[in-house]
Amino acid sequence: MNYATPISELEHPAPPPAAAKAETASFRSISKQYRLDAVTVDALNDVTCALPLGETTFVVGPSGSGKTTFLNILGLIDRPSAGRLVLLGEDVTDLTDSEAADFRSRHIGFIFQSFNLIPVLSLRENVELPLLRHMRSSRARRQRASHYLDAVGLADMMERRPGETSGGQRQRAAIARALVTEPDIVIADEPTANLDTGTSSEIVALLDRMKSTFNTSVVICTHNIDLIQPESALIQITDGRLVNGGPN
Amino acid sequence: MVWTIAFRNLIKNGRRSIMTMLAIAIGGFAALLFGGFVTSIWFGVQTSMIQDQGNLQVYRKGFLQFGAADPEAYTIVDWRRAAETIGAIETIRDDIVVITPKLDLGGIAGNVAASSNKTFFGTGVVAADIDRMRQWDGWRIDQPGLASGLSDNRGNGVVVGVGMARMLGICGPLEIAECTDPPRLTRGTVTGEADTVAPLVEGDGDLSALRSGGPADSLPRLNLLAATTTGLPNIARVVVETAQSQAQRAVDNAFVMMHFDQAGELLYGDSRQATALLIQIRSPDRAEFVKAEISKTLAAAGLDLEVYHFTEVDPTFSRIFGMFSFLFAVVSIVLAIVIVFTIVNTVSMSVIERVREIGTIRALGFRKGFVTRLFLAESALIGLFGAVLALIGAIAAATLINAMGVQWTPPSNAAPLTVQLMVLQNPALTLAVVAALAAVAVVAALVPTRRAARLNIVESLHHA
Ligand SMILES: Nc1ncnc2c1ncn2[C@@H]1O[C@H](COP(=O)(O)OP(=O)(O)O)[C@@H](O)[C@H]1O
Ligand SMILES: [Mg+2]
């Protein structure tokens, strides 16, 4: 199933060349230090790796190992202290704040641990929100949002506010919100940490399915080994260092 | 979507939103009502003064600077010619309602019956013209002035100030409220003076009649003594038709208004000369144009005259208006400061509560500007609703207060005016207040909003 008019064709007439998309993301000697008073914490230490295109990649590691930092840098909401980041063939290390926002808007979708839906908006309006930067017609936005909510199985509760839905339903809506702009990379930091086991598996399965349906790459970070699907790529981090998943 | 989010957040924080809105509404309400009062001063006080003095006044050149010391040298020598010259100006013919002469004079007024006397400052006017001027309503505020009190058919009638009447002991027959005759005093000297001036009355040798007063219609009589231009004393015997309060006590105690011809008779023996020409025009908006035209024409005609706007001759209006404008400005600034603090507080709280939402929105690919707009929209809505509330409240309160007919006496007036708060009658000021409220709301929100937009995304996302 494919949505009638892909956003990439509508709003960005020149998609990146296919050759450059051979890998979704490439970390080149990326380090990230946090300074806490006198102490410097190495959240990431010289990480070099490539994320494959169109796949689900799991980022795993113990708590405090640097998984979130890894995803934040990948999602262009945090900056590396050293090293370079290439996304979709473009070196994005030195983008300005606005350029980074534009890049996120076009290419990246986020799914959060606590869903982070806007409480005053209905599920449908939440999904419409990121489309503000892409589509002028509110009718078109509404249609598109409904379509994606339908795809995640929320067709009959679109007009509910997040507070009127369960955690699993909220995370489904958040998945629709992340996918609605047809991003190249969907980043999910512990998307199931606030959900029960059954719902967690459903959400991961849904993400995996959506990856295929909408032809995107999904990067999921989790400390729950049970969720990892056997055929997925795996990046394992310990103490800010890559254990496997490096250049191979 | 921005406005939807803003509006729904206002509803969500209903109590806080309403308190902030009320702060704005009360501030705006006060500013609008006070503005309405200042507006009513602008129209009301000017209307009173134009009814009294006309919009424009023509004087002999130099009169305002030096005339008081030597009035003779600064009178308009032939006021009819000046009035005709002005009346003949084509471009302003339709503007002019009244052109009328007035003649100022001073002297001593004596009440022979009570053997009391006192200096007076008098003015001679054409009663019919003055009565017409008092009906002027160039701004349609329906505030007719008091009639002059002079009757057309009594050439020797005068109107005096209430203080003047009191001192001369003529209150009894006038039957004016707040006018009571003084307790009887010893008045040896006064009698003597009356005796000395009495024989000078021309064509009236009937001293007994003069002394006793004894008028058929029971109105009090006075003798007015003035010095003619040739320096000789001259006396007129006048009938006091009524007494009217004057704005300033000093004036009230010495005021005598008489017919123009009577004043001319006293000073010159004829009525060709005048201190000034009062010119009343239909629409006050045209005053500057009319003034310029008259000025041009007077110069071209070789007349040694100058034309002034009434505010140039008498600074009272400018002072009153200036004072209230200043108060208005101070009050507005204080209110604005209070509103700024309220808004800053409200928006800051809103930002703090929604840090994670801000991080989320930024992560979703919105630039800082979008976050700014989100919170500014909220503040603008509060400002707008507050302003609308202020406007509705002010209109309601003004209508109520106007209907109550509260009276106040501006410093320029003798008689009180009914307080008419003009909120809607001054759309420029009303719009300005409403716009200022919205602007203050938005500008005040800029500081906390900027902080919101600059939040670190990662840290915001981890905010509890
Ligand atoms: N904003 C920050 N300031 C200081 N230290 C941080 C910050 N974010 C993360 N860290 C530290 O960096 C390390 C990696 O954190 P994180 O990437 O959140 O790990 P994970 O997601 O695997 O639990 C931890 O030691 C953490 O304390
Ligand atoms: Mg983490």
Side-chain angles (χ1 to χ4, degrees):
Chain A
M1 180 177 71
N2 242 323
Y3 194 75
T5 329
I7 286 185
S8 47
E9 284 172 27
L10 259 179
E11 312 283 330
H12 313 299
K21 274 193 147 193
E23 57 192 23
T24 303
S26 149
F27 279 61
R28 303 186 181 160
S29 304
I30 283 184
S31 299
K32 176 71 183 180
Q33 275 123 32
Y34 287 111
R35 224 155 264 128
L36 277 178
D37 299 324
V39 208
T40 307
V41 183
D42 283 311
L44 283 185
N45 201 336
D46 194 22
V47 171
T48 298
C49 68
L51 301 188
L53 180 73
E55 302 247 354
T56 301
T57 304
F58 282 88
V59 179
V60 294
S63 186
S65 58
K67 305 183 293 295
T68 295
T69 307
F70 181 88
L71 291 194
N72 289 346
I73 288 173
L74 173 66
L76 293 188
I77 57 175
D78 205 352
R79 288 169 187 278
S81 311
R84 305 213 66 86
L85 175 65
V86 177
L87 291 184
L88 309 167
E90 186 182 340
D91 188 329
V92 294
T93 322
D94 299 319
L95 293 187
T96 65
D97 184 87
S98 295
E99 287 167 347
D102 296 350
F103 193 96
R104 290 195 298 275
S105 169
R106 286 177 198 174
H107 302 296
I108 296 176
F110 277 96
I111 295 163
F112 306 94
Q113 176 177 336
S114 350
F115 327 124
N116 291 16
L117 297 171
I118 311 291
V120 298
L121 296 180
S122 69
L123 298 188
R124 180 178 51 69
E125 288 163 334
N126 264 287
V127 178
E128 277 183 47
L129 183 64
L131 291 173
L132 278 182
R133 292 211 58 186
H134 298 273
M135 305 168 90
R136 282 189 187 282
S137 152
S138 64
R139 222 174 70 92
R141 286 198 301 263
R142 178 184 299 237
Q143 272 182 4
R144 193 180 181 93
S146 305
H147 176 82
Y148 275 79
L149 279 164
D150 194 17
V152 298
L154 291 174
D156 51 354
M157 45 184 66
M158 294 193 219
E159 301 309 325
R160 290 202 195 166
R161 298 268 177 101
E164 301 161 351
T165 60
S166 71
Q169 287 162 345
R170 286 185 221 180
Q171 199 59 305
R172 283 165 182 273
I175 290 171
R177 179 178 69 179
L179 289 167
V180 75
T181 53
E182 297 198 324
D184 297 284
I185 311 166
V186 173
I187 294 171
D189 189 354
E190 309 267 9
T192 61
N194 287 358
L195 300 173
D196 61 61
T197 323
T199 316
S200 295
S201 321
E202 278 174 33
I203 289 294
V204 171
L206 174 65
L207 266 175
D208 199 48
R209 212 165 56 240
M210 292 295 117
K211 173 211 71 184
S212 315
T213 310
F214 297 105
N215 188 32
T216 181
S217 312
V218 177
V219 185
I220 306 174
C221 137
T222 180
H223 58 258
N224 186 349
I225 314 286
D226 298 343
L227 292 173
I228 299 170
Q229 288 162 329
E231 71 278 16
S232 329
L234 198 67
I235 288 179
Q236 207 175 329
I237 302 178
T238 303
D239 284 342
R241 288 178 185 280
L242 216 58
V243 175
N244 81 331
N248 43 14
Chain B
M1 191 78 97
V2 168
W3 294 101
T4 309
I5 296 175
F7 183 74
R8 290 194 192 156
N9 274 304
L10 287 188
I11 302 280
K12 187 178 163 198
N13 299 309
R15 243 181 84 95
R16 191 168 72 209
S17 309
I18 285 173
M19 294 315 279
T20 313
M21 244 176 259
L22 276 183
I24 293 175
I26 290 168
F29 174 81
L32 282 171
L33 277 195
F34 196 11
F37 182 58
V38 176
T39 305
S40 85
I41 290 172
W42 169 265
F43 290 122
V45 173
Q46 283 200 96
T47 294
S48 286
M49 295 187 76
I50 291 169
Q51 286 172 347
D52 252 20
Q53 319 177 5
N55 309 67
L56 303 174
Q57 298 170 20
V58 174
Y59 287 92
R60 179 88 166 267
K61 272 207 174 87
F63 177 85
L64 292 187
Q65 291 80 22
F66 315 111
D70 188 3
E72 300 316 321
Y74 292 98
T75 50
I76 301 171
V77 179
D78 186 350
W79 70 266
R80 278 178 218 281
R81 185 174 157 221
E84 275 158 21
T85 308
I86 292 166
I89 304 172
E90 281 298 331
T91 48
I92 60 170
R93 180 162 291 169
D94 292 337
D95 287 305
I96 293 178
V97 185
V98 177
I99 304 185
T100 188
K102 80 163 186 164
L103 181 59
D104 293 339
L105 73 167
I108 295 169
N111 174 12
V112 181
S115 294
S116 58
N117 67 14
K118 159 161 212 331
T119 54
F120 74 90
F121 295 104
T123 178
V125 297
V126 178
D129 288 346
I130 293 296
D131 283 333
R132 198 150 155 237
M133 279 172 60
R134 297 271 168 95
Q135 294 308 308
W136 187 87
D137 194 12
W139 281 297
R140 296 175 202 290
I141 60 167
D142 192 22
Q143 180 194 289
L146 226 61
S148 69
L150 291 173
S151 343
D152 286 336
N153 55 7
R154 189 185 273 127
N156 66 342
V158 301
V159 173
V160 300
V162 171
M164 181 85 171
R166 219 180 273 133
M167 290 183 205
L168 288 173
I170 54 172
C171 282
L174 289 176
E175 293 173 3
I176 306 267
E178 312 201 5
C179 184
T180 48
D181 287 333
R184 300 240 132 208
L185 302 167
T186 48
R187 51 186 116 79
T189 51
V190 173
T191 315
E193 196 173 318
D195 285 340
T196 53
V197 299
L200 294 166
V201 178
E202 280 172 51
D204 188 353
D206 186 356
L207 279 182
S208 62
L210 200 97
R211 257 180 233 275
S212 62
D217 57 6
S218 85
L219 286 173
R221 307 209 159 195
L222 294 177
N223 291 332
L224 300 181
L225 167 69
T228 63
T229 45
T230 49
L232 292 173
N234 197 3
I235 284 191
R237 194 169 184 214
V238 297
V239 176
V240 179
E241 305 206 58
T242 186
Q244 290 178 349
S245 284
Q246 304 301 310
Q248 283 143 28
R249 185 175 293 272
V251 174
D252 193 47
N253 286 344
F255 179 77
V256 177
M257 179 168 66
M258 64 195 81
H259 288 283
F260 183 75
D261 289 342
Q262 171 85 78
E265 195 69 27
L266 255 173
L267 272 189
Y268 306 110
D270 62 47
S271 58
R272 272 178 318 195
Q273 308 199 37
T275 310
L277 284 179
L278 308 181
I279 300 170
Q280 198 177 52
I281 59 182
R282 217 169 296 283
S283 162
D285 304 335
R286 298 263 297 169
E288 278 313 307
F289 173 75
V290 173
K291 185 186 164 193
E293 290 291 291
I294 292 175
S295 190
K296 213 163 63 187
T297 307
L298 290 177
L303 291 169
D304 188 23
L305 303 175
E306 255 168 339
V307 58
Y308 298 93
H309 193 253
F310 76 93
T311 52
E312 297 174 275
V313 179
D314 181 349
T316 310
F317 169 73
S318 308
R319 286 183 190 157
I320 296 173
F321 188 70
M323 181 178 84
F324 280 101
S325 300
F326 177 74
L327 283 179
F328 178 73
V330 170
V331 168
S332 300
I333 289 169
V334 170
L335 292 174
I337 291 172
V338 172
I339 290 174
V340 163
F341 278 108
T342 314
I343 292 268
V344 166
N345 182 50
T346 299
V347 177
S348 298
M349 277 170 75
S350 197
V351 167
I352 289 165
E353 285 166 8
R354 284 157 65 196
V355 165
R356 204 144 61 97
E357 185 176 318
I358 294 167
T360 306
I361 284 170
R362 293 279 282 124
L364 292 180
F366 289 97
R367 295 184 182 188
K368 287 175 179 167
F370 185 82
V371 175
T372 309
R373 264 184 286 153
L374 214 51
F375 286 94
L376 284 189
E378 215 171 300
S379 187
L381 281 181
I382 294 182
L384 206 69
F385 288 142
V388 168
L389 222 58
L391 193 59
I392 293 171
I395 291 170
T399 310
L400 191 76
I401 292 170
N402 292 348
M404 286 177 1
V406 181
Q407 304 237 309
W408 86 293
T409 307
S412 60
N413 282 37
L417 301 179
T418 306
V419 171
Q420 290 295 315
L421 302 176
M422 298 183 176
V423 177
L424 284 179
Q425 291 88 333
N426 190 351
L429 182 70
T430 301
L431 269 182
V433 169
V434 171
L437 287 175
V440 165
V442 170
V443 171
L446 278 177
V447 178
T449 301
R450 255 169 72 91
R451 208 166 50 221
R454 290 169 158 216
L455 283 173
N456 177 290
I457 300 173
V458 170
E459 284 170 18
S460 324
L461 282 172
H462 287 277
H463 199 272

